Amino acid sequence: MPHTQPSPVVDQPTPTTQPAATAAPATPRAALSLEARLAAVDAAMTVRLDEASVAYEVNTAHPATVIALADVVTVPLTPTLQPGPATDTSPVAALLERARHRMQGDGWCTGTLTDENGAVCLLGAIRKEASGNRGLETDAAAVLLDAIRRQFGDHVDSVPAFNDAHGSPRAPLRILADAARLADARGL
């Protein structure tokens, strides 16, 4: 059997070793003067302060406001789709529900019980629907004020103050519905 000689081993450079001819000698960096270092730090800080100023302006440009979904999403209802007052509700709840329907139909106003076009405020709608029953009117106004304070806080002085503080009928209509549910729950 013939015997073969092993091939000679060739030394190959490993990836971590480099030939001595390609290594560049390290050149020392020139030392910066104190003024040059301060100027560089000043430039870097100016950039950071400019970025922070822009971020502050963006974050404070529009203050966040809490918006109730019912104030934003509205669905137009035709008169045939509007439910009438429920027959099994309490008298005050029925009055508040009728007042809400009156306000939807006649329109909403501020500063007066009823304006020259027939639009009504919260108390104007209650007064028209109470048909002269002052006791029922007083009870409905008390429940309405309680519903307002439950949702908006005790700082609300009166029903007219709440009514006049709004620029649209959305919140007054919503609070009338809430007050009707509250009166029904209390059995008034």
Side-chain angles (χ1 to χ4, degrees):
M1 184 172 11
H3 192 298
T4 59
Q5 292 283 341
S7 63
V9 177
V10 178
D11 285 336
Q12 299 208 359
T14 61
T16 57
T17 62
Q18 294 182 1
T22 60
T27 58
R29 290 188 178 179
L32 294 176
S33 67
L34 177 62
E35 290 81 18
R37 287 185 296 180
L38 287 175
V41 169
D42 181 50
M45 288 305 295
T46 301
V47 168
R48 291 178 74 186
L49 287 172
D50 288 343
E51 289 174 353
S53 175
V54 169
Y56 176 78
E57 292 297 323
V58 167
N59 291 338
T60 60
H62 301 287
T65 57
V66 178
I67 299 174
L69 184 60
D71 289 343
V72 178
V73 179
T74 59
V75 178
L77 296 175
T78 61
T80 57
L81 295 177
Q82 294 177 352
T87 56
D88 60 341
T89 61
S90 64
V92 173
L95 170 64
L96 289 165
E97 192 61 34
R98 288 193 315 270
R100 186 173 72 83
H101 289 292
R102 161 112 25 203
M103 187 180 287
Q104 282 178 329
D106 292 353
W108 171 77
C109 69
T110 61
T112 184
L113 292 175
T114 305
D115 70 3
E116 63 275 355
N117 297 326
V120 292
C121 73
L122 287 167
L123 286 181
I126 290 172
R127 181 162 291 169
K128 281 190 174 184
E129 290 300 321
S131 302
N133 186 342
R134 294 290 184 182
L136 189 59
E137 182 182 330
T138 303
D139 290 344
V143 171
L144 181 59
L145 183 58
D146 189 32
I148 290 169
R149 287 182 175 163
R150 282 175 173 231
Q151 190 167 355
F152 295 95
D154 290 334
H155 68 279
V156 179
D157 294 330
S158 64
V159 173
F162 174 80
N163 183 79
D164 295 347
H166 289 85
S168 77
R170 289 184 185 121
L173 285 169
R174 185 171 29 104
I175 204 68
L176 274 171
D178 293 346
R181 285 191 292 275
L182 182 61
D184 193 42
R186 291 179 179 175
L188 297 175

CSV table of all heavy atoms in Angstrom, one decimal, residues 40-83:
chain,number,residue,atom,x,y,z
A,40,ALA,N,-18.0,74.6,22.5
A,40,ALA,CA,-18.6,73.4,22.0
A,40,ALA,C,-19.8,73.0,23.0
A,40,ALA,O,-20.9,72.6,22.6
A,40,ALA,CB,-17.6,72.2,22.0
A,41,VAL,N,-19.5,73.1,24.3
A,41,VAL,CA,-20.6,72.8,25.3
A,41,VAL,C,-21.7,73.8,25.1
A,41,VAL,O,-22.9,73.5,25.2
A,41,VAL,CB,-20.0,72.8,26.7
A,41,VAL,CG1,-21.1,72.8,27.7
A,41,VAL,CG2,-19.1,71.7,26.9
A,42,ASP,N,-21.4,75.1,24.9
A,42,ASP,CA,-22.4,76.1,24.7
A,42,ASP,C,-23.3,75.8,23.5
A,42,ASP,O,-24.5,75.9,23.5
A,42,ASP,CB,-21.8,77.5,24.5
A,42,ASP,CG,-22.8,78.6,24.4
A,42,ASP,OD1,-23.8,78.7,25.2
A,42,ASP,OD2,-22.6,79.4,23.4
A,43,ALA,N,-22.7,75.4,22.4
A,43,ALA,CA,-23.4,75.1,21.2
A,43,ALA,C,-24.3,73.9,21.4
A,43,ALA,O,-25.5,73.9,21.0
A,43,ALA,CB,-22.4,74.8,20.0
A,44,ALA,N,-23.8,72.9,22.1
A,44,ALA,CA,-24.6,71.7,22.4
A,44,ALA,C,-25.8,72.0,23.3
A,44,ALA,O,-26.9,71.6,23.1
A,44,ALA,CB,-23.8,70.6,23.0
A,45,MET,N,-25.6,72.8,24.3
A,45,MET,CA,-26.7,73.2,25.2
A,45,MET,C,-27.7,74.1,24.5
A,45,MET,O,-28.9,74.0,24.7
A,45,MET,CB,-26.1,74.0,26.4
A,45,MET,CG,-25.4,73.1,27.4
A,45,MET,SD,-26.4,71.7,28.0
A,45,MET,CE,-27.7,72.5,28.9
A,46,THR,N,-27.3,75.0,23.6
A,46,THR,CA,-28.2,75.8,22.8
A,46,THR,C,-29.1,74.9,22.0
A,46,THR,O,-30.3,75.1,21.9
A,46,THR,CB,-27.4,76.8,21.9
A,46,THR,OG1,-26.6,77.6,22.7
A,46,THR,CG2,-28.4,77.6,21.1
A,47,VAL,N,-28.6,73.9,21.3
A,47,VAL,CA,-29.4,73.0,20.6
A,47,VAL,C,-30.4,72.3,21.5
A,47,VAL,O,-31.6,72.2,21.1
A,47,VAL,CB,-28.5,71.9,19.8
A,47,VAL,CG1,-29.3,70.8,19.2
A,47,VAL,CG2,-27.7,72.6,18.7
A,48,ARG,N,-30.0,71.8,22.6
A,48,ARG,CA,-30.9,71.1,23.5
A,48,ARG,C,-32.0,72.0,24.1
A,48,ARG,O,-33.1,71.6,24.2
A,48,ARG,CB,-30.1,70.5,24.7
A,48,ARG,CG,-29.2,69.3,24.2
A,48,ARG,CD,-28.4,68.7,25.3
A,48,ARG,NE,-29.3,67.9,26.2
A,48,ARG,CZ,-28.8,67.4,27.3
A,48,ARG,NH1,-27.6,67.6,27.7
A,48,ARG,NH2,-29.6,66.7,28.1
A,49,LEU,N,-31.6,73.3,24.4
A,49,LEU,CA,-32.6,74.2,24.9
A,49,LEU,C,-33.6,74.6,23.8
A,49,LEU,O,-34.8,74.8,24.1
A,49,LEU,CB,-31.9,75.5,25.4
A,49,LEU,CG,-31.2,75.3,26.8
A,49,LEU,CD1,-30.4,76.6,27.1
A,49,LEU,CD2,-32.2,75.0,27.9
A,50,ASP,N,-33.2,74.7,22.5
A,50,ASP,CA,-34.1,75.0,21.4
A,50,ASP,C,-35.1,73.8,21.2
A,50,ASP,O,-36.3,74.1,21.0
A,50,ASP,CB,-33.3,75.2,20.1
A,50,ASP,CG,-32.6,76.6,20.1
A,50,ASP,OD1,-32.9,77.4,20.9
A,50,ASP,OD2,-31.7,76.7,19.3
A,51,GLU,N,-34.6,72.6,21.3
A,51,GLU,CA,-35.5,71.4,21.2
A,51,GLU,C,-36.5,71.4,22.4
A,51,GLU,O,-37.7,71.1,22.2
A,51,GLU,CB,-34.7,70.2,21.2
A,51,GLU,CG,-33.9,69.9,19.9
A,51,GLU,CD,-33.0,68.7,20.0
A,51,GLU,OE1,-32.9,68.1,21.1
A,51,GLU,OE2,-32.4,68.4,19.0
A,52,ALA,N,-36.1,71.7,23.6
A,52,ALA,CA,-37.0,71.7,24.7
A,52,ALA,C,-38.0,72.8,24.6
A,52,ALA,O,-39.2,72.7,24.9
A,52,ALA,CB,-36.2,71.9,26.0
A,53,SER,N,-37.6,74.0,24.0
A,53,SER,CA,-38.5,75.1,23.9
A,53,SER,C,-39.6,74.7,22.9
A,53,SER,O,-40.8,75.0,23.1
A,53,SER,CB,-37.8,76.3,23.4
A,53,SER,OG,-38.6,77.4,23.1
A,54,VAL,N,-39.2,74.1,21.8
A,54,VAL,CA,-40.2,73.6,20.8
A,54,VAL,C,-41.2,72.6,21.4
A,54,VAL,O,-42.4,72.6,21.2
A,54,VAL,CB,-39.5,73.1,19.5
A,54,VAL,CG1,-40.5,72.4,18.6
A,54,VAL,CG2,-38.8,74.2,18.8
A,55,ALA,N,-40.6,71.7,22.1
A,55,ALA,CA,-41.4,70.6,22.8
A,55,ALA,C,-42.4,71.3,23.8
A,55,ALA,O,-43.6,70.9,23.8
A,55,ALA,CB,-40.6,69.6,23.5
A,56,TYR,N,-42.0,72.3,24.5
A,56,TYR,CA,-42.9,73.0,25.4
A,56,TYR,C,-44.0,73.7,24.7
A,56,TYR,O,-45.2,73.6,25.1
A,56,TYR,CB,-42.1,73.9,26.3
A,56,TYR,CG,-43.0,74.8,27.2
A,56,TYR,CD1,-43.4,74.2,28.4
A,56,TYR,CD2,-43.3,76.1,26.9
A,56,TYR,CE1,-44.3,75.0,29.2
A,56,TYR,CE2,-44.1,76.8,27.7
A,56,TYR,CZ,-44.6,76.3,28.9
A,56,TYR,OH,-45.4,77.0,29.7
A,57,GLU,N,-43.7,74.3,23.6
A,57,GLU,CA,-44.7,75.1,22.8
A,57,GLU,C,-45.7,74.1,22.2
A,57,GLU,O,-46.9,74.4,22.2
A,57,GLU,CB,-44.0,75.9,21.7
A,57,GLU,CG,-43.2,77.0,22.2
A,57,GLU,CD,-44.0,78.1,22.9
A,57,GLU,OE1,-45.2,78.3,22.5
A,57,GLU,OE2,-43.5,78.7,23.9
A,58,VAL,N,-45.2,73.0,21.8
A,58,VAL,CA,-46.2,72.0,21.2
A,58,VAL,C,-47.1,71.4,22.3
A,58,VAL,O,-48.3,71.3,22.1
A,58,VAL,CB,-45.4,70.8,20.5
A,58,VAL,CG1,-46.3,69.6,20.2
A,58,VAL,CG2,-44.7,71.3,19.3
A,59,ASN,N,-46.5,71.1,23.5
A,59,ASN,CA,-47.3,70.5,24.5
A,59,ASN,C,-48.3,71.5,25.2
A,59,ASN,O,-49.3,71.0,25.7
A,59,ASN,CB,-46.4,69.9,25.6
A,59,ASN,CG,-45.6,68.7,25.1
A,59,ASN,OD1,-46.0,68.1,24.2
A,59,ASN,ND2,-44.5,68.5,25.8
A,60,THR,N,-48.0,72.8,25.1
A,60,THR,CA,-48.9,73.7,25.7
A,60,THR,C,-49.8,74.5,24.7
A,60,THR,O,-50.5,75.4,25.1
A,60,THR,CB,-48.1,74.7,26.6
A,60,THR,OG1,-47.2,75.4,25.8
A,60,THR,CG2,-47.5,74.0,27.7
A,61,ALA,N,-49.7,74.2,23.4
A,61,ALA,CA,-50.4,75.0,22.4
A,61,ALA,C,-51.9,74.8,22.6
A,61,ALA,O,-52.6,75.8,22.4
A,61,ALA,CB,-49.9,74.6,21.0
A,62,HIS,N,-52.4,73.6,22.8
A,62,HIS,CA,-53.8,73.4,22.9
A,62,HIS,C,-54.0,72.7,24.3
A,62,HIS,O,-53.7,71.5,24.4
A,62,HIS,CB,-54.3,72.5,21.8
A,62,HIS,CG,-54.0,73.1,20.5
A,62,HIS,ND1,-54.8,74.1,20.0
A,62,HIS,CD2,-53.1,72.8,19.5
A,62,HIS,CE1,-54.3,74.4,18.8
A,62,HIS,NE2,-53.3,73.7,18.5
A,63,PRO,N,-54.6,73.4,25.2
A,63,PRO,CA,-54.9,72.7,26.5
A,63,PRO,C,-55.9,71.6,26.4
A,63,PRO,O,-56.8,71.7,25.6
A,63,PRO,CB,-55.4,73.9,27.4
A,63,PRO,CG,-55.9,74.9,26.4
A,63,PRO,CD,-55.1,74.8,25.2
A,64,ALA,N,-55.6,70.6,27.1
A,64,ALA,CA,-56.5,69.4,27.0
A,64,ALA,C,-57.8,69.7,27.7
A,64,ALA,O,-57.9,70.3,28.8
A,64,ALA,CB,-55.9,68.2,27.7
A,65,THR,N,-58.9,69.4,27.0
A,65,THR,CA,-60.2,69.6,27.6
A,65,THR,C,-60.9,68.2,27.6
A,65,THR,O,-60.8,67.4,26.7
A,65,THR,CB,-61.1,70.6,26.8
A,65,THR,OG1,-61.1,70.1,25.4
A,65,THR,CG2,-60.5,71.9,26.9
A,66,VAL,N,-61.7,68.0,28.6
A,66,VAL,CA,-62.5,66.8,28.7
A,66,VAL,C,-63.8,67.0,28.0
A,66,VAL,O,-64.5,67.9,28.2
A,66,VAL,CB,-62.8,66.4,30.2
A,66,VAL,CG1,-63.6,65.2,30.3
A,66,VAL,CG2,-61.5,66.2,30.9
A,67,ILE,N,-64.1,66.2,27.0
A,67,ILE,CA,-65.3,66.3,26.2
A,67,ILE,C,-66.1,65.0,26.4
A,67,ILE,O,-65.6,63.9,26.3
A,67,ILE,CB,-64.9,66.4,24.7
A,67,ILE,CG1,-64.1,67.7,24.5
A,67,ILE,CG2,-66.2,66.4,23.9
A,67,ILE,CD1,-63.6,67.8,23.1
A,68,ALA,N,-67.4,65.2,26.7
A,68,ALA,CA,-68.3,64.1,26.9
A,68,ALA,C,-68.6,63.6,25.5
A,68,ALA,O,-68.9,64.4,24.6
A,68,ALA,CB,-69.5,64.5,27.7
A,69,LEU,N,-68.7,62.3,25.4
A,69,LEU,CA,-69.0,61.7,24.1
A,69,LEU,C,-70.4,62.1,23.6
A,69,LEU,O,-70.6,62.3,22.4
A,69,LEU,CB,-68.9,60.2,24.2
A,69,LEU,CG,-69.1,59.4,22.9
A,69,LEU,CD1,-68.0,59.8,21.9
A,69,LEU,CD2,-69.0,57.9,23.1
A,70,ALA,N,-71.3,62.3,24.5
A,70,ALA,CA,-72.6,62.7,24.1
A,70,ALA,C,-72.7,64.1,23.6
A,70,ALA,O,-73.6,64.5,22.8
A,70,ALA,CB,-73.6,62.6,25.3
A,71,ASP,N,-71.7,64.9,23.9
A,71,ASP,CA,-71.6,66.3,23.4
A,71,ASP,C,-71.0,66.3,21.9
A,71,ASP,O,-71.2,67.2,21.2
A,71,ASP,CB,-70.7,67.2,24.2
A,71,ASP,CG,-71.4,67.5,25.5
A,71,ASP,OD1,-72.6,67.3,25.6
A,71,ASP,OD2,-70.7,68.0,26.5
A,72,VAL,N,-70.3,65.2,21.6
A,72,VAL,CA,-69.7,65.2,20.3
A,72,VAL,C,-70.5,64.4,19.3
A,72,VAL,O,-70.7,64.8,18.1
A,72,VAL,CB,-68.3,64.6,20.4
A,72,VAL,CG1,-67.6,64.5,19.0
A,72,VAL,CG2,-67.4,65.4,21.3
A,73,VAL,N,-71.0,63.2,19.7
A,73,VAL,CA,-71.7,62.4,18.8
A,73,VAL,C,-73.2,62.7,18.9
A,73,VAL,O,-73.8,62.5,19.9
A,73,VAL,CB,-71.5,60.9,19.1
A,73,VAL,CG1,-72.3,60.0,18.2
A,73,VAL,CG2,-70.0,60.6,19.1
A,74,THR,N,-73.7,63.2,17.8
A,74,THR,CA,-75.2,63.5,17.8
A,74,THR,C,-75.8,62.8,16.6
A,74,THR,O,-75.2,62.7,15.6
A,74,THR,CB,-75.4,65.0,17.7
A,74,THR,OG1,-74.8,65.5,16.5
A,74,THR,CG2,-74.9,65.7,18.9
A,75,VAL,N,-77.0,62.3,16.8
A,75,VAL,CA,-77.7,61.7,15.7
A,75,VAL,C,-79.0,62.5,15.5
A,75,VAL,O,-79.8,62.7,16.4
A,75,VAL,CB,-78.1,60.2,16.1
A,75,VAL,CG1,-78.9,59.5,15.0
A,75,VAL,CG2,-76.8,59.5,16.4
A,76,PRO,N,-79.3,62.9,14.3
A,76,PRO,CA,-80.5,63.7,14.1
A,76,PRO,C,-81.7,62.7,14.2
A,76,PRO,O,-81.7,61.6,13.6
A,76,PRO,CB,-80.3,64.2,12.6
A,76,PRO,CG,-79.3,63.4,12.0
A,76,PRO,CD,-78.4,62.9,13.1
A,77,LEU,N,-82.7,63.1,14.9
A,77,LEU,CA,-83.9,62.3,15.1
A,77,LEU,C,-85.0,63.0,14.4
A,77,LEU,O,-85.2,64.2,14.5
A,77,LEU,CB,-84.2,62.2,16.6
A,77,LEU,CG,-83.1,61.4,17.4
A,77,LEU,CD1,-83.5,61.5,18.9
A,77,LEU,CD2,-83.0,60.0,17.0
A,78,THR,N,-85.8,62.3,13.7
A,78,THR,CA,-87.0,62.8,13.2
A,78,THR,C,-88.1,62.8,14.3
A,78,THR,O,-88.0,62.0,15.2
A,78,THR,CB,-87.5,62.0,12.0
A,78,THR,OG1,-87.8,60.7,12.4
A,78,THR,CG2,-86.4,62.0,10.9
A,79,PRO,N,-89.1,63.7,14.2
A,79,PRO,CA,-90.1,63.7,15.2
A,79,PRO,C,-90.8,62.3,15.5
A,79,PRO,O,-91.2,62.1,16.6
A,79,PRO,CB,-91.1,64.7,14.8
A,79,PRO,CG,-90.3,65.6,13.8
A,79,PRO,CD,-89.3,64.7,13.2
A,80,THR,N,-90.9,61.5,14.5
A,80,THR,CA,-91.5,60.2,14.7
A,80,THR,C,-90.7,59.2,15.4
A,80,THR,O,-91.2,58.3,16.0
A,80,THR,CB,-91.9,59.6,13.3
A,80,THR,OG1,-90.7,59.5,12.5
A,80,THR,CG2,-92.9,60.5,12.6
A,81,LEU,N,-89.4,59.5,15.5
A,81,LEU,CA,-88.5,58.5,16.2
A,81,LEU,C,-88.2,59.0,17.6
A,81,LEU,O,-87.7,58.2,18.4
A,81,LEU,CB,-87.1,58.5,15.5
A,81,LEU,CG,-87.1,57.9,14.1
A,81,LEU,CD1,-85.8,57.9,13.5
A,81,LEU,CD2,-87.7,56.4,14.1
A,82,GLN,N,-88.7,60.1,18.0
A,82,GLN,CA,-88.4,60.6,19.4
A,82,GLN,C,-89.4,59.9,20.3
A,82,GLN,O,-90.6,60.0,20.1
A,82,GLN,CB,-88.6,62.1,19.5
A,82,GLN,CG,-87.5,62.8,18.7
A,82,GLN,CD,-87.7,64.3,18.8
A,82,GLN,OE1,-88.8,64.8,19.3
A,82,GLN,NE2,-86.8,65.1,18.3
A,83,PRO,N,-88.9,59.2,21.3
A,83,PRO,CA,-89.8,58.6,22.2
A,83,PRO,C,-90.6,59.6,23.1
A,83,PRO,O,-90.0,60.6,23.5
A,83,PRO,CB,-88.9,57.7,23.1
A,83,PRO,CG,-87.6,58.4,23.0
A,83,PRO,CD,-87.5,59.0,21.7
